[in-house]
Amino acid sequence: HEVPAAAFERWRIQRGIARFPVDLDTESTPAEGGLERLIDVTKGCFLGQEAVAKIRNLGHPARVTIARSTGAATTVGDDVTSGGRVVGTITSVAAWGGGCAVIARVAWRDRDAELACSTGPLRRI
């Protein structure tokens, strides 16, 4: 049986699986989307090697994608805030349980903070 596209998208978002160019853009690194496990760093030279090495040496990327849920509908592009500061953006949304499952792209330092969007708190899934 074929899985409907909306069901697959909800599954992807609930698990925080980043998708290019939706959750990541041309300025993103694999580590921002949790994709560094897919890179064979023993291979030798490869495109983007310097960026990957820089992040490995620093210990973390500047931003990350995270999965959260809301109690109400929200939209792609909505700001993510923490303590009154904008720390990121909602990049993917799927209706789920009376609210939404979302992927948000946030600053590394705020990844574990209490986060919110315009419709209320963002909870861990």
Side-chain angles (χ1 to χ4, degrees):
H1 296 182
E2 188 172 317
V3 175
F8 177 77
E9 186 70 353
R10 184 174 54 250
W11 175 88
R12 177 188 76 79
I13 293 169
Q14 288 172 320
R15 283 155 185 78
I17 300 170
R19 186 166 63 101
F20 182 87
V22 176
D23 306 301
L24 303 168
D25 60 26
T26 58
E27 300 299 314
S28 300
T29 64
E32 289 179 33
L35 304 173
E36 65 276 0
R37 70 187 183 285
L38 303 174
I39 300 170
D40 181 1
V41 295
T42 65
K43 176 183 172 202
C45 295
F46 57 89
L47 186 62
Q49 182 177 15
E50 296 81 11
V52 170
K54 179 180 177 184
I55 290 170
R56 291 183 78 199
N57 290 336
L58 291 175
H60 59 79
R63 299 172 304 231
V64 291
T65 55
I66 57 173
R68 294 292 187 268
S69 68
T70 66
T74 189
T75 58
V76 169
D78 196 3
D79 286 339
V80 175
T81 59
S82 177
R85 300 177 293 119
V86 174
V87 299
T89 305
I90 302 289
T91 58
S92 287
V93 175
W96 180 50
C100 292
V102 305
I103 291 180
R105 191 169 170 193
V106 300
W108 171 267
R109 70 180 176 280
D110 298 302
R111 71 194 183 285
D112 294 322
E114 289 187 26
L115 301 172
C117 65
S118 65
T119 61
L122 293 174
R123 297 178 302 275
R124 292 180 189 274
I125 294 180

